[in-house]
Amino acid sequence: MKHRFKNYKVIVVAAMYFSCVFVLAGCGFKDIDKRVFVTGIGIDPAEKEEGGYKVTLKLSLPVASIKSSTGPNYEYLVYEGETLAEAIRILETHTDKILEFGHTKIIVINEELLQENMKDFMDYFVRRSDIQLIAWVAAAKTSAESILRVEPSAESAVSSTLVNFFGSNGTESPFITSTFLYEFRRDMLSDGVDAVLPLVEATEDKKELIVNKSLVVKEKSKPFELTAEQSKYYNTLLNGMSGFSYKAEKEDLTFVINMEKTTVHYKVIMDDGKPTSIKMNVKMIGVIGQSNKNLALNNLKEYDKIAAEAVKKKITDFLTTVQEKNLDPIGFGLRYRTMMLYDKNTISEWQKAYPDLPFDVSVDVALKGTGAIE
Amino acid sequence: MTNSKENPTTPKLMVDLKEQMNPSFDVMLIPLQLEDEVAFLLYLKTAVDGDKLQSIIIKPFFEMKSAQHYGAYIQSSPDLLAIKSEDNIPLELTKGSVLIAVQQNFFLIDVKKVNTSTVQQTLMEPTVYGPQQALSEDILTNLNIIRHRYKEPTLKIEILELKDKTHNDIAIIYDEQTVKPAILKTIQKRIKELDTTLIQSAGELQLYLNGKRFTLFPTLMLTERPDRICYNLDAGKVILMIDGSPHALIAPVVFFDFMVSMEDNYHLFWVTSFTLVLRYFGLITCLTLPALYVAITSYNPDIFRTELALTVAGSRIGVPYPSFIEVLFMLVFMELLTEASIRLPKAISATATTVGGLILGTAATEAALTSNIMIIIVSAVAISSFVIPINEMSFSIRFCRYILLAFTTFFGTVGFILGFLGILMFLINKESFGEPYLKMYWKSRRSEKGVKSE
Amino acid sequence: MSRFLYYFIFLTMVSNIIASVPKILLFESKTGAIPSMIAAVIIGTIFIYILVKLFNSFPGKNLPEMLKAHTPKWFAYPVLFYLFLCWFCAGLITLITYVFLFITFFSPETSIVITTFAFVLVISFGILMKSRSMLYMAEIVIVLFVPIIFFLLIKFYANPKLDWDFIKISMMHINHVPSYWAFGASLYLFVGIADLVIFNKLFTKKHKMGWKQVLIIGLTGTAVLFTTFFVPIGYNGVEQIADLTFPWVSTSDSIRMKYGLIERVIFIFILAFLGIAFVSLLLHWHVALKILESIFEFKRLKWKGKLLAPYIFVILFGIISLVLTRKLTQYQLFSLSNYFYGSLPIFFTVLIISLVVVKRRAKL
């Protein structure tokens, strides 16, 4: 009589299975409650020693019951060291749990650090493969630590306010510049374009954060601060951000237009192998948001013209301001480089020519209506 | 009156047979006598149908004019069995035949009493709209059901007898037009080669037909639905039935057969597609979720978005052991619950699930022995494993889950994916009577002729 | 053409992304990668055409059988051994590169041996399977994983952050002499068809190979090569692209799924390509094993009626890969793959010559 299976064999296999599970599990096995998530990294210049860094890590602590917890639960680790790697190594000894950088969503850098040796710490973030390349990079006014430490009262348990500013996660506004880590690295290291970072400020009572300015960063020169208005133009021109609103005035008529869609085309006009001017076409579609007078629908064409004139002036203003500083946040240089076969001298030629290039901006505004009232 | 007429000599064969079968109390050897005409009956009282015996064997004897007429009557009975050899007779007697001796001639008539021919309700594979009747435990009733549902002259039924102690009949049913001859031959050969002492149910037969000792996935399908049987007959498969079992076996089967519910044929296209997608989703969930939990919580907590990771981390606060023990612990309890509710009488099983599922689950999280998320996962796994229409497959998948869990625990996330691919590979390499178990079936199979089967 | 042939071709094409092909190409991005890619697409498609045509003359036979039957031993065995080496290396490079990138990006804490062991364990079981099962496995993995890869591709191309200016700048580097190494690396995309060496045994029908098939293969090759080369540039810029060790993985980390359960595309990318890498490794090593079996037939080594030789070979494969993943540095791996890709033109030549020889001899 053949047995279907011998029971003891099955038991032996099961026993081996369980013992293997217990013995072998261990390499790389670390439970989630033994890890602590670093959600933000802040870098300031060191206070004690020259050339060093002060690193602030923002740790999100898990809460047992999200529904009943009142607010966010954060912990901050701060340490000064000669290099980033060193400081973070030391910080690992400041907590009983393993630091998990996979959830680092934001890297805040003190604006003072954004002129020299940027490659130095950028290298660390990119080389460390567990830090996301889609972390947001932001510049901080006064100090990165203080920005990270702001805990707005509207914040809920498992979300981070600072992160929600960027990438249209929560709020959407053309004033906010969002820059990924890889984007920052790409634009900073490439010739023909300059990186732009959002500038984060805290209110005086350290309760709220304000993000509406930006910083154009270029290696070996002081970062240039774009005002809120300029940031708005930058974001509209580069990313076609919606929500752009603009005030147009003519004689005694004043109205505000809300742009829904913006498309931008630009090219470098060449003559005889040399760049002669930059041509930019902007198309905007929008509605009127506010007005001091009754508006007639049949006059829309006229309003289009008034608005186009005004926007054109502003855009030209913005472009010449950054041009004067020899900065190129839009990337005209890149566009120029795509227009000819590779040559060693292309870049230096462009750099010579750019500061004096005239801008030729044409704006075309198409208003869809006057809103809910005429 | 001669002596012989008063006490007609019992045929020697019958006497011998009776001797052979003593001391069973139910062996009956009775003479029938009317004037000069004599006949003898030998049967087992417990195996035959008394009424039938009375009405078709005994009563006609007294109504006939002569034993010769009676002999002719018996000979034309539809239940007449051929006597192959004398050794065969005791076996037929035990099956419920009666041996009749008329004028030196012996006849075997089948008057077996079957108490199991009632057709049952579908239990294992219930449908909402399909036929509600399943098979019975009597093979003749079952064959009748099939014949009734599949009225094709090409439907062939071969009966073989098992060589074991039950001597049950096995019916091999197939549609001559659609069946693949090679597969039919393999099945016939396997059945003839069976060498076991006792086979009582279709499930058991399936194990022996497998041809391998350790098997994880069924290579024959067990079903109780006549409509499924006909559906598969039409698809060219071979159906096996064994007397005394309310289930039929379908061979060969492929993996996808186990994911089909008969209900699919009775619904609208999009409804069916939706349920099919749902079923595969259930399959994947039930297979991977526990392993995924270990991979996510213990190896790569950075995969999920931060909010989710923090929620998981939060729910695990205070759980005193590593995640894989937590998973194993909860899974085993879940299996116990399932097992208990199958074995328990129906009236109690509801209580068991309530006590086990609700009270235990809540208490375990309250006591911080498991995380809330774990409870959700375990219940999701339990529910989704019931979505698989054929129970056998659901059992196999339940087992695979542990293999995947072990792989993940050893090797982390890479082990999880590799384990999954490994299980896939195992299924692909498997064969059911020469047919590949798992492969993509495209609409036109003609293009596959280019690939030679090894 | 049987759909399985397309699978061989497309699997290898797609799997180039996780091998060292993008690294080598991007390394040469300023010195002639583009012309060599163009050359590779043309020559690779021609190679595929010739090979399919040649194999068409021998339906249902594999190369070792053909060589043994029609050529002298001094010719057959060295050729077979060379082919074995190539296939083994192809598999080995895929394995080690994948393990390296997995360790770097996915679980830096896990030991490299454990990860490799996980691969070796499943692969050993896999390559011992029947050849026919391989085809079905390839098909199922393609059906399961290719939709994910297509989804990722759409994500890569539809993202407004993909800066086409960078891509155009890199295209301006077309005025260079083709580089041999970049050519070899691009030729790797077309090596998949050579799996026919063993799998031809399963194809009893002749494959149709007309201009339609050539066009499909050529266009797909171009598209894949374009994606391999230009998408990382679009995300990471032209100047510093050569610095990245795993350009494609870093690129995949540049995409974010705002509403996804998994926010970082990199994880989906790595796991989807795990399936592709796995099947490509499976096919390569299965071919390698079969060729090795045909060279060394240890008929005496038997246990319970089973030939032991394949098991020994598989264990050897496993040990070699375990040792090498531990010993090799990233630079050594890079140069090993470089030399391997560089030898591909020779590989194709040897294969075609031996097939031609067999064809001539068979007709005698």
Side-chain angles (χ1 to χ4, degrees):
Chain A
M1 182 165 161
K2 254 200 265 174
H3 277 281
R4 201 179 303 156
F5 46 76
K6 293 197 173 95
N7 280 329
Y8 70 89
K9 277 198 179 168
V10 175
I11 293 169
V12 168
V13 170
M16 270 165 59
Y17 170 85
F18 283 107
S19 50
C20 277
V21 168
F22 282 94
V23 172
L24 270 172
C27 209
F29 188 96
K30 196 131 290 165
D31 270 315
I32 198 164
D33 46 335
K34 302 286 182 297
R35 306 185 191 229
V36 61
F37 301 129
V38 179
T39 48
I41 303 178
I43 314 169
D44 289 304
E47 284 153 17
K48 285 171 216 152
E49 51 185 313
E50 193 65 24
Y53 300 102
K54 185 169 87 173
V55 177
T56 312
L57 299 183
K58 183 173 188 170
L59 311 179
S60 274
L61 302 181
V63 276
S65 172
I66 289 154
K67 294 242 170 81
S68 59
S69 76
T70 48
N73 233 335
Y74 292 116
E75 201 181 289
Y76 301 91
L77 300 175
V78 186
Y79 192 78
E80 281 189 15
E82 211 174 306
T83 59
L84 277 186
E86 217 177 312
I88 288 176
R89 278 279 166 236
I90 295 292
L91 283 178
E92 276 173 4
T93 63
H94 287 205
T95 174
D96 64 322
K97 291 168 181 153
I98 191 164
L99 293 178
E100 180 71 47
F101 284 90
H103 284 291
T104 307
K105 280 281 173 55
I106 182 125
I107 297 168
V108 185
I109 303 165
N110 193 319
E111 62 172 339
E112 285 167 39
L113 283 173
L114 287 169
Q115 18 194 323
E116 268 166 74
N117 292 332
M118 271 186 288
K119 276 193 187 139
D120 192 25
F121 55 78
M122 294 310 301
D123 178 80
Y124 179 76
F125 292 130
V126 179
R127 196 175 292 274
R128 240 200 113 109
S129 53
D130 54 343
I131 292 182
Q132 315 182 0
L133 285 174
I134 46 169
W136 305 107
V137 184
K141 200 146 203 172
T142 59
S143 105
E145 188 188 348
S146 64
I147 296 293
L148 279 182
R149 278 189 187 269
V150 173
E151 289 181 18
S153 39
E155 200 162 72
S156 60
V158 287
S159 76
S160 172
T161 309
L162 193 48
V163 173
N164 284 342
F165 271 112
F166 302 114
S168 316
N169 244 354
T171 175
E172 287 186 34
S173 155
F175 290 100
I176 300 174
T177 311
S178 309
T179 309
F180 285 123
L181 177 59
Y182 77 90
E183 236 182 317
F184 179 52
R185 176 177 178 272
R186 172 181 81 187
D187 293 349
M188 203 181 69
L189 297 175
S190 297
D191 296 312
V193 65
D194 292 312
V196 180
L197 289 182
L199 185 66
V200 187
E201 294 166 287
T203 49
E204 270 174 34
D205 56 352
K206 302 277 175 219
K207 279 280 181 222
E208 301 298 332
L209 290 168
I210 302 165
V211 188
N212 57 20
K213 291 179 188 160
S214 316
L215 223 51
V216 185
V217 180
K218 193 176 185 183
E219 188 98 11
K220 297 198 181 78
S221 71
K222 202 171 177 306
F224 175 67
E225 190 177 315
L226 296 179
T227 61
E229 192 71 8
Q230 284 165 335
S231 306
K232 182 176 85 178
Y233 281 100
Y234 168 74
N235 284 322
T236 313
L237 290 183
L238 197 74
N239 305 326
M241 288 281 284
S242 61
F244 177 94
S245 55
Y246 183 73
K247 198 172 98 184
E249 278 174 293
K250 191 174 187 189
E251 291 154 16
D252 53 345
L253 174 70
T254 314
F255 57 89
V256 177
I257 332 157
N258 291 334
M259 295 302 176
E260 280 160 0
K261 203 179 158 212
T262 314
T263 41
V264 181
H265 291 284
Y266 58 86
K267 60 181 173 193
V268 180
I269 306 288
M270 296 232 290
D271 189 22
D272 216 10
K274 292 233 156 44
T276 52
S277 69
I278 294 165
K279 177 146 182 59
M280 185 175 245
N281 284 320
V282 182
K283 264 191 198 145
M284 290 176 150
I285 299 171
V287 292
I288 290 172
Q290 192 190 342
S291 165
N292 63 347
K293 274 192 177 180
N294 263 4
L295 299 169
L297 268 175
N298 52 5
N299 279 349
L300 269 181
K301 279 271 181 302
E302 199 176 310
Y303 305 139
D304 285 355
K305 255 185 223 156
I306 301 172
E309 274 300 305
V311 173
K312 179 185 167 181
K313 194 168 160 289
K314 284 284 179 183
I315 289 179
T316 322
D317 259 7
F318 163 69
L319 290 176
T320 40
T321 322
V322 285
Q323 193 190 24
E324 272 163 30
K325 300 275 169 196
N326 200 10
L327 294 170
D328 185 6
I330 306 282
F332 295 117
L334 283 182
R335 191 52 60 85
Y336 175 70
R337 287 174 65 195
T338 64
M339 293 167 69
M340 60 194 65
L341 281 181
Y342 173 74
D343 184 76
K344 279 201 293 275
N345 303 321
T346 317
I347 295 159
S348 52
E349 261 173 38
W350 168 256
Q351 277 163 348
K352 235 184 287 164
Y354 176 64
D356 308 317
L357 284 183
F359 288 104
D360 176 10
V361 180
S362 69
V363 180
D364 182 15
V365 177
L367 290 174
K368 289 257 165 195
T370 56
I373 50 166
E374 281 206 349
Chain B
M1 267 197 218
T2 54
N3 210 15
S4 67
K5 272 181 189 166
E6 274 173 354
N7 251 335
T9 42
T10 324
K12 186 169 176 297
L13 177 67
M14 286 193 162
V15 179
D16 288 350
L17 282 172
K18 189 171 162 47
E19 280 300 304
Q20 203 181 328
M21 292 175 118
N22 269 341
S24 287
F25 81 100
D26 52 356
V27 189
M28 308 300 271
L29 175 59
I30 45 168
L32 303 175
Q33 196 172 18
L34 181 68
E35 296 169 0
D36 286 354
E37 315 299 337
V38 179
F40 292 92
L41 303 182
L42 178 70
Y43 61 92
L44 292 177
K45 199 173 160 190
T46 49
V48 300
D49 189 341
D51 291 344
K52 215 169 162 189
L53 186 71
Q54 178 69 32
S55 61
I56 69 166
I57 311 261
I58 300 178
K59 225 169 133 197
F61 178 79
F62 297 101
E63 288 163 2
M64 293 289 164
K65 282 183 186 149
S66 67
Q68 200 179 354
H69 283 197
Y70 182 64
Y73 164 78
I74 292 292
Q75 212 159 5
S76 59
S77 162
D79 290 331
L80 183 76
L81 299 172
I83 301 176
K84 286 169 202 151
S85 72
E86 284 186 9
D87 305 337
N88 201 24
I89 296 172
L91 181 63
E92 290 301 331
L93 290 180
T94 55
K95 282 184 180 175
S97 302
V98 57
L99 183 68
I100 307 170
V102 192
Q103 295 182 321
Q104 315 308 315
N105 289 329
F106 292 99
F107 300 104
L108 266 178
I109 301 275
D110 183 7
V111 282
K112 75 166 79 91
K113 183 176 187 177
V114 182
N115 288 325
T116 52
S117 61
T118 37
V119 176
Q120 299 170 345
Q121 289 284 314
T122 48
L123 282 174
M124 309 286 290
E125 307 156 54
T127 53
V128 181
Y129 287 118
Q132 303 298 318
Q133 299 287 314
L135 296 173
S136 77
E137 294 198 354
D138 174 42
I139 193 164
L140 287 176
T141 318
N142 291 346
L143 292 176
N144 172 261
I145 292 173
I146 303 298
R147 277 278 188 212
H148 181 67
R149 280 177 172 272
Y150 198 85
K151 299 182 194 93
E152 269 297 314
T154 46
L155 178 72
K156 302 285 169 198
I157 301 176
E158 286 175 26
I159 301 270
L160 292 175
E161 192 178 295
L162 276 181
K163 276 179 268 171
D164 69 338
K165 287 183 181 160
T166 61
H167 291 282
N168 277 336
D169 286 333
I170 290 187
I172 305 175
I173 312 162
Y174 55 90
D175 188 331
E176 209 176 27
Q177 253 176 354
T178 49
V179 76
K180 286 188 186 172
I183 290 166
L184 184 64
K185 227 171 237 169
T186 340
I187 292 174
Q188 283 166 335
K189 198 172 138 237
R190 289 250 182 105
I191 291 179
K192 275 181 194 140
E193 281 168 1
L194 278 183
D195 176 30
T196 34
T197 46
L198 202 61
I199 295 178
Q200 301 198 69
S201 73
E204 226 175 339
L205 182 66
Q206 173 208 355
L207 288 177
Y208 294 120
L209 282 182
N210 245 339
K212 275 181 192 159
R213 265 176 77 201
F214 298 105
T215 35
L216 180 52
F217 286 94
T219 45
L220 290 101
M221 194 201 283
L222 215 53
T223 185
E224 57 164 9
R225 297 191 62 89
D227 52 346
R228 193 186 279 275
I229 293 173
C230 296
Y231 178 76
N232 280 294
L233 274 175
D234 180 47
K237 302 201 168 164
V238 179
I239 314 291
L240 299 176
M241 277 188 186
I242 182 167
D243 202 6
S245 171
H247 296 114
L249 286 172
I250 301 170
V253 284
V254 296
F255 181 78
F256 296 112
D257 288 341
F258 290 95
M259 298 304 286
V260 178
S261 160
M262 274 302 114
E263 191 94 57
D264 294 351
N265 297 345
Y266 311 133
H267 279 296
L268 304 173
F269 174 76
W270 289 112
V271 178
T272 308
S273 313
F274 172 69
T275 37
L276 212 60
V277 169
L278 211 63
R279 228 171 272 153
Y280 281 98
F281 177 72
L283 174 81
I284 298 287
T285 315
C286 135
L287 184 63
T288 59
L289 216 51
L292 204 59
Y293 178 77
V294 172
I296 296 286
T297 55
S298 302
Y299 282 96
N300 286 98
D302 40 356
I303 287 185
F304 277 153
R305 50 192 315 132
T306 317
E307 291 88 344
L308 194 57
L310 280 173
T311 314
V312 175
S315 81
R316 258 194 68 83
I317 287 181
V319 177
Y321 30 68
S323 61
F324 68 93
I325 297 192
E326 185 189 357
V327 173
L328 217 52
F329 175 82
M330 286 311 290
L331 276 185
V332 167
F333 270 94
M334 198 261 297
E335 301 288 357
L336 286 177
L337 249 168
T338 328
E339 200 56 25
S341 47
I342 294 174
R343 304 286 162 238
L344 276 176
K346 274 210 179 114
I348 315 177
S349 69
T351 332
T353 19
T354 321
V355 171
L358 293 175
I359 302 178
L360 207 90
T362 328
T365 34
E366 284 290 303
L369 285 177
T370 60
S371 60
N372 296 325
I373 302 220
M374 190 64 238
I375 300 284
I376 298 173
I377 286 174
V378 165
S379 358
V381 164
I383 294 164
S384 49
S385 65
F386 299 136
V387 175
I388 302 167
I390 302 283
N391 235 318
E392 292 164 282
M393 185 47 74
S394 150
F395 280 119
S396 308
I397 295 292
R398 266 162 69 185
F399 185 81
C400 278
R401 196 153 70 197
Y402 292 93
I403 300 177
L404 203 57
L405 184 62
F407 238 79
T408 313
T409 317
F410 296 157
F411 303 118
T413 319
V414 69
F416 170 67
I417 299 281
L418 284 176
F420 183 72
L421 289 173
I423 290 173
L424 260 186
M425 231 157 46
F426 177 74
L427 283 173
I428 286 170
N429 202 31
K430 202 174 169 60
E431 280 183 353
S432 166
F433 296 95
E435 285 282 289
Y437 199 58
L438 179 64
K439 67 169 193 169
M440 297 312 289
Y441 286 96
W442 303 107
K443 274 270 148 63
S444 83
R445 297 213 198 147
R446 214 165 295 145
S447 61
E448 267 157 49
K449 278 185 185 156
V451 178
K452 196 167 65 176
S453 52
E454 270 181 321
Chain C
M1 220 160 88
S2 163
R3 64 201 150 97
F4 293 107
L5 278 195
Y6 286 113
Y7 295 160
F8 292 151
I9 299 171
F10 295 154
L11 265 173
T12 324
M13 279 187 183
V14 176
S15 74
N16 90 77
I17 281 181
I18 35 141
S20 303
V21 176
K23 170 80 182 152
I24 292 170
L25 287 181
L26 292 169
F27 188 73
E28 306 253 7
S29 62
K30 291 189 199 96
T31 51
I34 298 174
S36 10
M37 291 196 308
I38 297 169
V41 168
I42 297 166
I43 293 174
T45 316
I46 293 174
F47 274 148
I48 290 184
Y49 180 80
I50 295 174
L51 278 177
V52 173
K53 281 279 172 197
L54 280 174
F55 273 110
N56 262 349
S57 338
F58 307 95
K61 272 191 181 161
N62 61 22
L63 185 69
E65 285 172 3
M66 280 143 59
L67 276 178
K68 280 184 180 173
H70 300 296
T71 58
K73 269 189 180 175
W74 60 263
F75 181 79
Y77 283 93
V79 166
L80 283 178
F81 193 73
Y82 172 71
L83 293 179
F84 155 72
L85 269 187
C86 281
W87 256 286
F88 182 67
C89 277
L92 198 63
I93 287 172
T94 313
L95 174 68
I96 301 180
T97 318
Y98 191 84
V99 168
F100 274 13
L101 81 86
F102 192 87
I103 291 286
T104 321
F105 287 92
F106 218 91
S107 53
E109 300 115 22
T110 321
S111 106
I112 198 159
V113 181
I114 293 268
T115 310
T116 320
F117 186 66
F119 264 99
V120 167
L121 205 67
V122 182
I123 282 288
S124 321
F125 167 67
I127 52 178
L128 287 170
M129 294 194 316
K130 291 175 284 254
S131 295
R132 191 178 57 157
S133 309
M134 295 291 154
L135 301 182
Y136 297 144
M137 181 72 191
E139 183 166 25
I140 285 196
V141 167
I142 281 181
V143 168
L144 285 180
F145 287 89
V146 166
I148 305 177
I149 289 171
F150 263 105
F151 169 73
L152 290 183
L153 274 184
I154 293 170
K155 275 257 160 204
F156 279 124
Y157 277 113
N159 195 330
K161 300 266 180 187
L162 174 68
D163 199 330
W164 285 88
D165 277 353
F166 284 109
I167 295 180
K168 284 181 202 153
I169 290 173
S170 68
M171 280 182 188
M172 291 300 150
H173 285 281
I174 199 165
N175 53 344
H176 289 280
V177 190
S179 123
Y180 181 74
W181 299 116
F183 171 72
S186 328
L187 204 59
Y188 176 74
L189 268 79
F190 299 91
V191 89
I193 191 68
D195 286 338
L196 266 185
V197 165
I198 290 301
F199 288 105
N200 196 43
K201 204 180 166 106
L202 299 178
F203 299 108
T204 41
K205 272 206 310 201
K206 286 197 175 185
H207 303 291
K208 206 174 153 247
M209 191 74 193
W211 61 272
K212 222 179 181 178
Q213 281 79 5
V214 170
L215 208 64
I216 292 175
I217 294 165
L219 286 181
T220 327
T222 317
V224 173
L225 211 48
F226 183 88
T227 309
T228 304
F229 184 72
F230 288 112
V231 170
I233 288 181
Y235 281 100
N236 294 300
V238 188
E239 268 79 21
Q240 56 292 330
I241 187 73
D243 305 348
L244 296 170
T245 324
F246 299 104
W248 253 98
V249 187
S250 298
T251 304
S252 72
D253 200 13
S254 310
I255 316 280
R256 168 168 169 262
M257 290 209 293
K258 205 154 109 187
Y259 304 109
L261 194 65
I262 300 172
E263 203 177 359
R264 294 173 70 184
V265 163
I266 183 174
F267 293 116
I268 304 174
F269 178 84
I270 291 183
L271 293 181
F273 274 93
L274 171 57
I276 300 292
F278 181 79
V279 173
S280 131
L281 177 59
L282 198 68
L283 289 176
H284 287 157
W285 274 13
H286 182 75
V287 173
L289 180 75
K290 288 281 166 191
I291 296 178
L292 198 61
E293 271 179 50
S294 73
I295 303 173
F296 304 103
E297 293 168 275
F298 299 124
K299 285 209 172 123
R300 273 195 225 150
L301 272 177
K302 266 188 186 173
W303 188 66
K304 286 190 180 173
K306 272 187 180 173
L307 275 177
L308 277 184
Y311 298 94
I312 296 169
F313 293 146
V314 165
I315 292 170
L316 271 178
F317 283 15
I319 292 172
I320 292 174
S321 45
L322 276 174
V323 170
L324 278 184
T325 32
R326 268 192 78 161
K327 287 270 153 76
L328 277 187
T329 62
Q330 223 142 49
Y331 176 73
Q332 283 167 327
L333 173 67
F334 179 64
S335 42
L336 174 71
S337 357
N338 212 354
Y339 289 128
F340 171 69
Y341 298 141
S343 78
L344 282 180
I346 306 170
F347 168 78
F348 272 114
T349 321
V350 169
L351 195 57
I352 288 174
I353 287 177
S354 51
L355 275 170
V356 170
V357 168
V358 168
K359 202 178 170 184
R360 287 223 170 146
R361 292 240 175 177
K363 292 262 161 75
L364 274 177

